[in-house]
Amino acid sequence: GAGVSQSPRYKVAKRGQDVALRCDPISGHVSLFWYQQALGQGPEFLTYFQNEAQLDKSGLPSDRFFAERPEGSVSTLKIQRTQQEDSAVYLCASSLLRGIDQPQHFGDGTRLSIL
Amino acid sequence: AQSVSQHNHHVILSEAASLELGCNYSYGGTVNLFWYVQYPGQHLQLLLKYFSGDPLVKGIKGFEAEFIKSKFSFNLRKPSVQWSDTAEYFCAVNPYGNNRLAFGKGNQVVVIP
């Protein structure tokens, strides 16, 4: 498709399990962002990639969160030993070039529920 | 702490009414400013943005926003709303020099036909 694709749309996991969330950015987009959106809140920045390089991971809340983009296209956000506070919508966005003046195109998000 | 503030989280108004949503930020220095909209069942999309120049910015669907530097504000307006404007609206700030966006909590706007 033409937009940013995220999978799965919904994920339910038990506390302590590991989860992996996938993002397919728009083809050719250089920049890729992950955001976490808790219920009733705005999205919060997690991490930023330029091609395969993770240039900013300062928003990752703990060392249980890990993101990669090994070939500069698809990205995976992994959460280890999930906890209830990890329940949120995880949004991926991509932009054509580097630089904030490039509009960020958002996916529909993955809604993660930790039981 | 640096933040983006949006007040009146829930707004309900009738068609043809005027809409104004406030956005204040606490970042110093140069910032880039954005409004994003999320229609029911859809993803976030850019409504308008301000980087420099004329502080009155016009966006899609008749929306406009005014940057007032002295007030650290970037309020969104639409003179006459339609039912299709029912959505959640997010203000976002990009402090100059990095790529991250800092979002406010959002305004849930419901337009009654």
Side-chain angles (χ1 to χ4, degrees):
Chain A
V4 176
S5 178
Q6 292 187 246
S7 61
R9 286 294 309 276
Y10 303 92
K11 176 69 178 177
V12 180
K14 292 183 179 179
R15 188 162 58 96
Q17 288 183 329
D18 298 347
V19 298
L21 312 179
R22 178 187 169 106
C23 172
D24 283 85
I26 295 172
S27 179
H29 276 201
V30 165
S31 297
L32 186 144
F33 305 81
W34 283 98
Y35 293 87
Q36 180 191 58
Q37 186 175 16
L39 190 63
Q41 305 294 317
E44 294 216 6
F45 171 84
L46 293 177
T47 187
Y48 161 63
F49 289 86
Q50 185 177 312
N51 295 308
E52 69 280 3
Q54 189 175 19
L55 298 186
D56 187 351
K57 57 180 181 179
S58 60
L60 296 175
S62 78
D63 58 6
R64 296 185 296 104
F65 286 70
F66 173 75
E68 60 183 5
R69 193 186 185 198
E71 297 179 359
S73 55
V74 171
S75 178
T76 304
L77 177 67
K78 298 179 180 178
I79 309 173
Q80 298 176 325
R81 305 181 304 281
T82 53
Q83 300 178 5
Q84 282 193 320
E85 61 261 31
D86 300 334
S87 296
V89 175
Y90 290 85
L91 297 170
C92 177
S94 71
S95 62
L96 179 59
L97 299 172
R98 65 176 184 168
I100 196 62
D101 59 331
Q102 301 296 312
Q104 294 186 24
H105 300 265
F106 283 82
D108 289 331
T110 293
R111 185 175 296 277
L112 176 64
S113 298
I114 305 300
L115 305 179
Chain B
Q2 296 174 324
S3 66
V4 180
S5 298
Q6 293 180 246
H7 307 291
N8 302 321
H9 185 63
H10 295 280
V11 177
I12 301 174
L13 61 170
S14 300
E15 276 193 317
S18 63
L19 173 68
E20 180 161 359
L21 302 176
C23 174
N24 290 87
Y25 61 93
S26 62
Y27 296 87
T30 303
V31 293
N32 298 314
L33 299 159
F34 306 79
W35 276 95
Y36 279 81
V37 60
Q38 187 168 24
Y39 298 103
Q42 296 187 27
H43 53 265
L44 275 167
Q45 53 188 288
L46 183 65
L47 199 55
L48 50 77
K49 61 185 179 181
Y50 173 80
F51 291 152
S52 64
D54 189 343
L56 186 61
V57 180
K58 294 193 185 298
I60 60 172
K61 304 187 180 185
F63 284 89
E64 64 179 30
E66 184 176 12
F67 170 52
I68 302 179
K69 188 174 181 179
S70 61
K71 295 185 178 180
F72 297 87
S73 70
F74 189 55
N75 294 352
L76 181 72
R77 296 193 293 256
K78 184 169 183 178
S80 177
V81 295
Q82 301 173 319
W83 173 78
S84 57
D85 293 321
T86 294
E88 190 152 21
Y89 294 81
F90 293 93
C91 179
V93 175
N94 161 243
Y96 187 76
N98 68 57
N99 286 283
R100 61 167 63 195
L101 288 174
F103 285 85
K105 289 186 177 182
N107 296 104
Q108 183 67 56
V109 174
V110 175
V111 179
I112 301 171

